[in-house]
Amino acid sequence: MNDLNKFKGLFSALLTPFNKDSSVNFEAMEKLVEFNLENGIDGFYVGGSTGEGLLLTNEERKATFKCVAEATKGRATLIAHVGTLHTDAAIDMAKYAESLGYDAISAVAPYYYGFPLESITGYYNDIANSTSLPMIVYNFPNSGKFALTKDVANEMFKNEKFIGIKHTSSDMFALQQFKQLDREIVVYNGFDETLLSGLAMGADGAIGSTYNFMGKKFKKIMNDFKAGNIDEAIKGQNEADEIITEMIKHGVFQSEKAILSEMGIDMGECRKPFLPITDECRASMKKIAEKLMSE
Ligand code: MN9
């Protein structure tokens, strides 16, 4: 049996910094990991949507897994996102993550073709059965035509390798349902702007992009929630959401890179076809970064 406790808590969906020529900036990535750990982050989700994993080559994805494993040195729980359309490539990445000592693998459901359910569950089983690592299903309905349901999850989770769901959706009823499966699993809230509602519906933790620079703020929200200080928790969520609202206007990942660059970590731009960071975005995020650093 897997110990689920190490999978609970606040996990950063780690951003991937790029150099000017758009190659991965590993030095900045190490700094970002350290910065996250200083802010109390419990674990990292590497190479997901936020990490621009699907815009990296498979070799680059593996190199980022290695960089993060070496930078954390066992100080955080590590989840490698290996999702891609090509099953064997996903398996190759999963095996590599296993060799690096990762704690779990995760994958978004195969997208683009509108695969039938049997293909999707087959894909997950193929990857999950290829290593000794547990699997966390990345449920992100906006990324394709597939939204996980309780019944499908119950079927999938008959395979003991499956231990959790990263629920990137505002459907809080679905999140609640995932906590009622036939056996206990870990459920992560996936949209940071709804963390508090996710916790209220039973989430064990959260995986998100804004924790890269608002780790302390969100840790406090979680602790306030656990302690029953709901008014304080709502206040914290409102403060965070004011920032996220501004980020959404300018592009979430561009804004996050602009904020962290202001905080002293050279994040560079997002990879094409993401658009460059605009001057308006930089100016707005500079103010947000200054405010966060003064807190
Ligand atoms: O991994 C992230 N999801 C996506 C979680 O980027 C699709 C979230 O953290 C969002 O970036 C964040 C802003 O909408 O909630």
Side-chain angles (χ1 to χ4, degrees):
M1 270 306 281
N2 280 295
D3 174 17
L4 293 184
N5 279 325
K6 70 174 172 190
F7 293 105
K8 296 180 179 170
L10 195 68
F11 285 54
S12 279
L14 196 68
L15 286 150
T16 302
F18 291 115
N19 292 306
K20 286 220 158 44
D21 64 1
S22 187
S23 58
V24 177
N25 184 342
F26 293 106
E27 212 182 301
M29 198 162 201
E30 282 170 26
K31 266 176 99 173
L32 180 59
V33 165
E34 206 54 48
F35 180 71
N36 270 277
L37 291 172
E38 281 162 17
N39 285 300
I41 288 297
D42 301 301
F44 294 101
Y45 189 86
V46 187
S49 312
T50 303
E52 298 174 68
L54 295 157
L55 297 170
L56 305 181
T57 66
N58 296 338
E59 288 314 306
E60 285 176 320
R61 291 174 75 172
K62 284 158 75 172
T64 59
F65 293 165
K66 182 164 186 266
C67 171
V68 176
E70 287 174 357
T72 47
K73 297 184 203 80
R75 292 175 292 164
T77 299
L78 297 182
I79 306 169
H81 176 260
V82 303
T84 180
L85 274 188
H86 187 198
T87 305
D88 288 343
I91 289 175
D92 178 59
M93 286 187 266
K95 286 189 167 152
Y96 188 65
E98 180 181 36
S99 77
L100 293 170
Y102 271 66
D103 298 286
I105 47 171
S106 179
V108 73
Y111 42 89
Y112 186 73
Y113 289 106
F115 292 108
L117 184 57
E118 221 182 313
S119 298
I120 294 173
T121 51
Y123 167 87
Y124 274 113
N125 279 318
D126 285 344
I127 300 171
N129 293 335
S130 73
T131 74
S132 64
L133 296 181
M135 164 66 84
I136 292 165
V137 177
Y138 182 10
N139 183 41
F140 183 23
N142 287 354
S143 74
K145 296 177 181 136
F146 177 71
L148 192 65
T149 61
K150 182 186 174 196
D151 288 347
V152 172
N154 259 331
E155 273 306 302
M156 277 172 116
F157 281 71
K158 280 184 183 156
N159 182 343
E160 291 280 325
K161 284 275 177 59
F162 290 73
I163 58 150
I165 299 172
K166 164 171 154 57
H167 184 59
T168 300
S169 158
S170 312
D171 185 344
M172 292 298 146
F173 180 39
L175 187 151
Q176 184 271 348
Q177 294 283 288
F178 297 146
K179 283 304 296 176
Q180 318 304 319
L181 297 192
D182 298 340
R183 69 179 161 88
E184 201 199 342
I185 66 160
V186 181
V187 177
Y188 295 97
N189 182 80
F191 279 129
D192 317 0
E193 49 275 38
T194 60
L195 173 62
L196 187 54
S197 55
L199 292 174
M201 297 307 268
D204 304 284
I207 298 175
S209 62
T210 67
Y211 313 144
N212 279 277
F213 55 90
M214 289 201 279
K216 275 190 196 146
K217 199 180 263 304
F218 276 102
K219 258 279 157 98
K220 183 168 184 311
I221 294 172
M222 278 183 135
N223 291 336
D224 281 333
F225 174 79
K226 272 188 213 145
N229 299 328
I230 303 302
D231 286 347
E232 250 324 278
I234 294 173
K235 187 168 159 264
Q237 183 75 67
N238 281 336
E239 283 169 16
D241 285 1
E242 202 181 315
I243 294 172
I244 297 175
T245 306
E246 186 61 19
M247 289 168 40
I248 289 170
K249 274 192 227 160
H250 298 282
V252 170
F253 304 140
Q254 288 92 337
S255 298
E256 293 175 338
K257 287 190 167 177
I259 290 173
L260 282 158
S261 294
E262 279 300 327
M263 290 178 160
I265 301 170
D266 181 15
M267 298 297 294
E269 296 277 350
C270 294
R271 199 169 257 190
K272 285 183 194 173
F274 279 118
L275 296 172
I277 303 171
T278 61
D279 292 345
E280 297 78 63
C281 175
R282 290 227 188 260
S284 172
M285 294 311 134
K286 184 169 193 284
K287 281 191 213 139
I288 289 174
E290 278 163 4
K291 185 159 179 292
L292 285 171
M293 284 188 290
S294 72
E295 281 174 2

